[in-house]
Amino acid sequence: SFPTRRSSDLPAHLLAQREEEVILALTRSSRISEGTESWAEARRDSVRALAAVTATVVAVLDQRLAPHIYDCFLVSLEDYTIDRRGDTGAWVREAAMSGLETVTVALLNRGTDMVPESIIAQAMPCLAQQATEKIARTRGHAARVFHSLLHSRGQGGEELPGVPCREELQNIFPRNLDINWIVESETFPRFVKLLRLKEFSERMILGLIVSIGGLTERLVRNSSHSLFTELRDMAEAEVEAFSFQLLAVFRSHQKEERITLPLFKFLDQLLTSGCLEGVLGEASSQFPAQLFSLCKAEIARCGDPNKLMWSGDVFCQLLQAADRATVHRCLTQLSIFLCHRFPRVRKSTAEKLYEALLTYTEVDIVPETELDTVMELLSDTRWDQPVEELRPVRNRICELAGVPAPAMASKTEK
């Protein structure tokens, strides 16, 4: 790792003729490699040093080095290293945000042709994502840098090239905006508006998944309220676009625990909110079936009872869908959980299924003539009994609900 210095501490003449060698060495040392995952401080210091060196030699910097520098910052924005100290990757991400600002301002003062437009187009959505994630300090820093870059100008008054949806962003975040970037109730109502912009929607969904599916009550409350308020104000086509963008995010991050664990909680809240009623209520919509398939794939060979219970919450929420095939598939999956080897999963599933049947009575999930019997079996059965004693009860529920009982060979029941 290279020591951290301010650009003024390292005279430019010491770097003369060696700018490329130093910059490329710093970019290499900022990357995670085998055995260096826990070296978050070293990566942070490398990123800081890279920004300082670039600012020092900006007057003579070879233009072809700019993409390498920016690529380092973009890669560092994806550093989510976690150890016993917590999310140490946040140190690296924050250094990358500062580096983006420092280097971009320095290059912009030299001329707009020095700033790669395509990379700025990638960096702005990444900063927006960081501005909606769970660590307050990181969110505040990202939001401030986002606003700073949005309104950056060169010495001749030239705007920063490559900013996507510039006019819309400047309407949401005007230059003279007076805001505390760390306060969720002030920032989230503005950032959720970026969901309407296709260049930002995927990154915004990623940030909201982590914050809404998190553990901090105030953050969950403010972020979810902002999202649901925005969704209710959207046109039907916009909500549908959001729902399928959400599926795309789920699909591209399958089996990534950092995303999928809070995603189940996010989905539970989203489906409970009623914001997707139009999508769920359309029998021809592919959204419920695709969401079921993604959830099913996510829990395949899963041994984490918490993850299984959170997925059960989503399966119960999908029972409100107008797509009967998806409802039957959810009932089958929930019946598997009713005889799962983990007693916690069995009990949680019975409780959630009972609540869903009580809540969505108008959907006719179970034939009306059998509903009372099914709910009685769910509520009166002790679901912490041995699976062998519970299987006949579960099979009876399946029979009354009109779905086939799972075969005993199912691995999830062993």
Side-chain angles (χ1 to χ4, degrees):
S1 171
F2 290 80
T4 305
R5 295 179 182 270
R6 297 192 306 272
S7 57
S8 58
D9 290 338
L10 193 63
H13 71 269
L14 293 180
L15 295 166
Q17 308 302 316
R18 304 192 66 180
E19 301 93 345
E20 181 174 355
E21 179 183 352
V22 173
I23 286 173
L24 294 181
L26 286 169
T27 60
R28 287 194 298 271
S29 65
S30 69
R31 303 290 177 92
I32 297 176
S33 58
E34 186 176 354
T36 68
E37 295 85 356
S38 63
W39 296 6
E41 294 98 332
R43 293 194 296 277
R44 175 199 62 195
D45 291 348
S46 294
V47 172
R48 286 177 175 174
L50 177 62
V53 166
T54 303
T56 299
V57 302
V58 68
V60 295
L61 183 70
D62 190 330
Q63 187 173 2
R64 62 190 177 82
L65 289 176
H68 293 283
I69 297 166
Y70 276 107
D71 185 56
C72 172
F73 295 147
L74 291 177
V75 170
S76 297
L77 283 175
E78 304 295 336
D79 191 326
Y80 287 92
T81 304
I82 294 177
D83 62 20
R84 57 182 175 79
R85 297 169 292 180
D87 183 2
T88 53
W91 304 338
V92 185
R93 300 198 300 276
E94 289 169 22
M97 296 170 206
S98 298
L100 274 170
E101 182 179 26
T102 299
V103 170
T104 299
V105 170
L107 291 176
L108 190 58
N109 285 332
R110 180 173 160 185
T112 55
D113 60 322
M114 289 294 296
V115 182
E117 293 187 27
S118 61
I119 295 182
I120 296 300
Q122 296 177 59
M124 294 300 283
C126 288
L127 288 170
Q129 174 190 339
Q130 294 295 326
T132 54
E133 288 201 349
K134 61 185 178 181
I135 301 176
R137 183 194 66 241
T138 307
R139 283 201 317 274
H141 189 47
R144 187 198 62 76
V145 172
F146 178 90
H147 184 260
S148 172
L149 291 180
L150 175 60
H151 296 285
S152 292
R153 290 181 180 272
Q155 290 182 339
E158 309 90 346
E159 292 182 321
L160 176 66
V163 176
C165 310
R166 186 192 307 275
E167 185 177 346
E168 292 91 335
L169 292 180
Q170 290 179 344
N171 287 334
I172 298 169
F173 303 96
R175 179 184 295 274
N176 60 352
L177 181 63
D178 183 16
I179 191 172
N180 186 336
W181 294 111
I182 292 180
V183 178
E184 305 94 332
S185 59
E186 295 187 38
T187 58
F188 274 90
R190 293 181 182 273
F191 275 103
V192 293
K193 295 183 184 300
L194 275 57
L195 287 168
R196 298 175 186 256
L197 309 176
K198 65 178 182 179
E199 293 87 349
F200 288 86
S201 58
E202 179 180 350
R203 288 288 179 173
M204 289 308 307
I205 288 172
L206 279 169
L208 289 167
I209 284 170
V210 174
S211 55
I212 294 176
L215 300 174
T216 307
E217 182 180 351
R218 189 177 70 178
L219 174 60
V220 171
R221 182 177 65 252
N222 282 291
S223 57
S224 59
H225 175 73
S226 297
L227 171 62
F228 301 153
T229 299
E230 188 67 20
L231 287 174
R232 292 186 182 108
D233 192 47
M234 286 183 179
E236 186 176 331
E238 290 178 307
V239 174
E240 185 175 12
F242 164 81
S243 66
F244 282 95
Q245 182 68 70
L246 176 59
L247 292 177
V249 169
F250 195 167
R251 195 174 293 113
S252 60
H253 294 274
Q254 196 91 61
K255 297 292 185 179
E256 291 183 30
E257 301 278 280
R258 187 186 70 82
I259 300 296
T260 56
L261 289 180
L263 177 56
F264 280 127
K265 299 185 197 176
F266 172 89
L267 287 168
D268 183 32
Q269 290 202 54
L270 177 63
L271 296 172
T272 304
S273 71
C275 293
L276 299 188
E277 276 185 0
V279 177
L280 294 173
E282 177 57 58
S284 61
S285 173
Q286 294 299 307
F287 175 77
Q290 292 185 29
L291 179 56
F292 172 86
S293 297
L294 288 168
C295 291
K296 177 78 171 175
E298 183 63 32
I299 61 170
R301 297 179 293 280
C302 175
D304 180 356
N306 290 320
K307 188 174 184 179
L308 292 169
M309 288 188 291
W310 294 334
S311 73
D313 294 342
V314 178
F315 292 132
C316 284
Q317 292 295 343
L318 282 175
L319 294 175
Q320 63 183 292
D323 176 13
R324 298 303 301 170
T326 297
V327 171
H328 285 167
R329 292 172 74 191
C330 287
L331 283 172
T332 300
Q333 181 60 50
L334 291 166
S335 70
I336 292 174
F337 283 173
L338 286 175
C339 283
H340 199 278
R341 67 181 182 275
F342 295 132
R344 280 198 295 159
V345 174
R346 301 198 295 266
K347 292 173 67 176
S348 173
T349 301
E351 292 169 4
K352 292 292 184 178
L353 181 54
Y354 182 92
E355 291 174 11
L357 293 174
L358 194 62
T359 303
Y360 304 124
T361 52
E362 73 284 356
V363 182
D364 195 25
I365 299 168
V366 172
E368 188 175 353
T369 54
E370 314 294 355
L371 182 59
D372 289 343
T373 305
V374 170
M375 295 186 72
E376 185 177 330
L377 288 170
L378 288 170
S379 61
D380 292 351
T381 303
R382 285 183 47 246
W383 292 100
D384 55 356
Q385 298 179 79
V387 171
E388 292 72 19
E389 297 178 29
L390 293 172
R391 191 170 284 116
V393 179
R394 187 276 310 275
N395 291 350
R396 176 61 177 158
I397 291 174
C398 290
E399 179 186 350
L400 295 171
V403 296
M408 288 184 60
S410 174
K411 291 182 179 181
T412 55
E413 290 190 23
K414 288 185 178 180

